Amino acid sequence: MDRLVYYKKILEKNPAYNKALSDCMEELRGDPLLSKSVDNTDNVRVKGSIIHYLHSWAPVLTEFAAWVLDDAKKSSIKRLYFLSRDAWPVYRVALALADSSSPELRYLRVSRYALRIPEMAIDDSHFLDMMFLSGIDVTMRKILQRGALSEEEMLEFVSILGFSDSLDRIMGRPEILQWKAKAEIHKEELWTIVQRHARQRLPDAIGYFRQEGMLSGDSIAVVDSGWVGTTQRSIKRLLDFAKSGTELHGYYFGLYEIPKNMDPNTYKTFYFGPKGQIRRKVYFSNCLFEAVSSEAAGMTLRYENNNPVIADYGSLNAEYLETMQPYLEMFARAYARNRELDNGVFVSEDILSKLMARPDKWEAELYGTLKFCDDVLEGDAQDIAVRLPYTDICNLRLHRKMVIWLLSKLHIRTPDIHESGWIYGSIVRCGKNVRWSLLQARLYNCLMYVRKNL
């Protein structure tokens, strides 16, 4: 595979990663899964996936974990909390790399949903922001489910709001913002509905954090994939409610923004931060990263008796994640043995920019068929690089999207915008005018991040 040759050349720039890969490839010779005779398509796919993972994702996740440990030592962080589920692979790598001088490593079971419901009980300042979020195929039902409302409470909520349409009709971002503005007018009434569940969940959430030592007064930090930093804000608000002035730092793979009223000095990023590094953002897919960097277990739903309640269904990509986890840990152990060879050359950018923004057909099919849901609850999952007809690909380009957005503002009926969790993968899977469409997608993303940077 040409891509493996490319990734191998990148790793050769840093002897520690190159030697780790060589050690892994040697170790694979005795792996029962890879030594099976190739007699069907599934075997070929699994073997190819493992070898590709060792050349790409394993070095990236190892580089991230090594950075977290190094910086935490320098910053005198006593305890690191790796947040479920995105930080599970990073946690496993960190365990392999840690030594006696490393901070204590813990795994904290959280989710945006499990945190935000009790957070809504603290005051009414953020609950509408947490509910009226845009995303892929957002409906009023999804918005209300973010507040843990029952069917009866949903009808009560929309009655106050004045929403009389189907709860399952897909809404675009402009309409979501319009309904959020109307909700602000009735904020006090709506908060009383949301509080019914939020007040019940608050004590157990705080009890879990206390049980995990987060209120001990030690210097602590969370580790997560990132993107907008709201999980750290939620945890910080809950900790502050229990013990005012509790400090909390965060380590992230990347952040597009930091929540308002949060100290930016408590947020550290590995790959990109809110300002600058536009090329890395343009050539990156946070949805793809989340699909690959995750745990096979189900999401955290809430806390009972100070302990997390985990969904009895597994991750959307449990089979893939369970298959790859041992090989990630294999790579991490190999890197740990050869870490003295690390010359400081950064390998993640060259790997991710090629894999994420210029995937070949094999990569687009393999990773594009992983499942993804961008809502706080994992309903209506779809392929991360959903198959889109060429018309939909075109509708996602800058000029067409602007026209559709302007017409919708004028309440003129427009075609539905069908988003993709990984647009570059969808373009390759579509197969029509691929180079031109990839260029258009990069242009759109570039202009979006330039505008945000201003």
Side-chain angles (χ1 to χ4, degrees):
M1 186 188 292
D2 290 342
R3 284 303 169 97
L4 297 185
V5 174
Y6 170 83
Y7 298 135
K8 180 71 166 64
K9 287 182 178 178
I10 299 304
L11 297 179
E12 286 172 356
K13 297 177 182 179
N14 188 319
Y17 289 94
N18 186 46
K19 184 64 166 61
L21 176 64
S22 298
D23 287 357
C24 288
M25 296 306 291
E26 182 63 31
E27 194 172 341
L28 288 184
R29 293 176 182 272
D31 189 294
L33 183 59
L34 274 81
S35 62
K36 288 179 182 176
S37 60
V38 178
D39 55 4
N40 60 53
T41 303
D42 286 343
N43 278 351
V44 172
R45 184 182 177 88
V46 170
K47 292 178 183 181
S49 301
I50 291 168
I51 293 171
H52 189 279
Y53 187 93
L54 287 169
H55 280 73
S56 54
W57 292 105
V60 169
L61 294 170
T62 299
E63 195 165 44
F64 176 38
W67 170 81
V68 170
L69 289 177
D70 288 345
D71 194 275
K73 285 181 188 179
K74 293 175 188 174
S75 303
S76 301
I77 298 294
K78 184 170 182 180
R79 195 176 302 115
L80 287 170
Y81 292 90
F82 294 77
L83 303 185
S84 64
R85 290 169 294 170
D86 292 3
W88 170 254
V90 189
Y91 171 63
R92 299 301 300 178
V93 172
L95 288 173
L97 302 185
D99 56 32
S100 59
S101 65
S102 299
E104 180 186 352
L105 309 181
R106 290 198 183 183
Y107 190 60
L108 196 72
R109 293 210 171 272
V110 297
S111 70
R112 288 177 296 167
Y113 180 73
L115 294 173
R116 288 176 181 179
I117 303 299
E119 184 186 358
M120 290 177 188
I122 295 174
D123 57 47
D124 66 358
S125 61
H126 294 290
F127 83 101
L128 291 178
D129 295 331
M130 291 185 273
M131 293 176 72
F132 285 84
L133 294 168
S134 58
I136 297 174
D137 294 341
V138 174
T139 64
M140 185 59 76
R141 185 181 301 279
K142 282 187 180 180
I143 289 170
L144 301 181
Q145 285 174 337
R146 294 165 183 167
L149 303 190
S150 66
E151 192 74 22
E152 185 179 341
E153 288 165 336
M154 288 184 189
L155 296 177
E156 184 182 356
F157 194 104
V158 295
S159 176
I160 294 170
L161 194 60
F163 182 90
S164 58
D165 209 339
S166 167
L167 295 181
D168 298 305
R169 179 176 60 80
I170 294 173
M171 300 186 293
R173 187 169 184 273
E175 187 181 0
I176 294 169
L177 294 177
Q178 288 168 14
W179 285 112
K180 181 185 175 185
K182 290 182 180 180
E184 291 281 357
I185 300 169
H186 304 282
K187 190 174 185 177
E188 214 169 295
E189 276 184 279
L190 298 176
W191 190 45
T192 60
I193 300 173
V194 172
Q195 268 198 311
R196 294 169 193 167
H197 300 279
R199 278 199 306 265
Q200 293 175 357
R201 299 193 184 191
L202 181 59
D204 278 319
I206 291 174
Y208 175 60
F209 294 149
R210 180 176 285 110
Q211 180 177 284
E212 293 300 314
M214 300 190 81
L215 291 164
S216 63
D218 294 330
S219 178
I220 62 174
V222 296
V223 182
D224 200 9
S225 53
W227 322 141
V228 293
T230 53
T231 300
Q232 180 176 332
R233 181 194 66 189
S234 294
I235 295 173
K236 176 74 165 66
R237 293 189 79 224
L238 291 167
L239 293 176
D240 272 341
F241 183 80
K243 184 180 178 181
S244 181
T246 302
E247 285 194 12
L248 182 65
H249 296 265
Y251 289 98
Y252 298 94
F253 193 87
L255 286 172
Y256 297 104
E257 58 187 80
I258 292 172
K260 293 178 182 177
N261 304 319
M262 292 296 289
D263 182 359
N265 294 318
T266 63
Y267 286 79
K268 292 188 177 182
T269 58
F270 167 71
Y271 197 62
F272 57 79
K275 293 293 182 182
Q277 297 168 306
I278 290 173
R279 186 184 185 279
R280 287 188 181 180
K281 294 172 185 173
V282 169
Y283 284 73
F284 187 79
S285 168
N286 55 292
C287 299
L288 175 56
F289 186 90
E290 283 184 31
V292 174
S293 180
S294 189
E295 184 187 11
M299 70 176 284
T300 303
L301 297 174
R302 61 188 179 278
Y303 304 94
E304 290 180 3
N305 301 318
N306 303 335
N307 289 304
V309 176
I310 312 300
D312 56 8
Y313 52 85
S315 162
L316 294 170
N317 302 302
E319 184 179 357
Y320 173 82
L321 296 171
E322 286 177 340
T323 301
M324 296 304 144
Q325 189 64 41
Y327 300 99
L328 172 61
E329 295 178 23
M330 176 194 292
F331 188 95
R333 290 191 299 270
Y335 172 79
R337 292 194 301 269
N338 297 287
R339 197 170 183 185
E340 71 280 358
L341 301 176
D342 196 321
N343 62 0
V345 172
F346 192 66
V347 300
S348 292
E349 182 172 7
D350 287 337
I351 292 172
L352 291 180
S353 60
K354 179 72 79 172
L355 171 55
M356 289 186 163
R358 292 171 176 166
D360 62 19
K361 288 183 179 180
W362 188 88
E363 290 171 329
E365 286 299 324
L366 172 65
Y367 298 113
T369 52
L370 293 176
K371 299 302 178 186
F372 171 74
C373 176
D374 72 338
D375 197 41
V376 294
L377 290 169
E378 293 181 339
D380 300 327
Q382 63 180 33
D383 283 1
I384 191 166
V386 62
R387 281 197 182 277
L388 296 175
Y390 187 62
T391 303
D392 284 347
I393 297 287
C394 293
N395 285 341
L396 292 170
R397 293 175 183 169
L398 179 64
H399 61 290
R400 287 216 194 173
K401 209 168 185 179
M402 284 297 296
V403 169
I404 292 171
W405 182 79
L406 289 169
L407 290 175
S408 68
K409 291 284 283 185
L410 297 171
H411 303 290
I412 298 172
R413 188 165 182 81
T414 59
D416 289 334
I417 296 284
H418 297 287
E419 301 280 0
S420 167
W422 179 30
I423 185 58
Y424 300 125
S426 289
I427 288 169
V428 173
R429 294 187 78 193
C430 175
K432 186 173 181 181
N433 294 332
V434 171
R435 288 188 179 182
W436 177 245
S437 294
L438 288 175
L439 177 63
Q440 288 290 318
R442 290 195 295 269
L443 174 63
Y444 175 85
N445 286 336
C446 183
L447 292 174
M448 179 179 68
Y449 292 125
V450 167
R451 180 180 63 83
K452 287 184 177 182
N453 214 48
L454 296 176

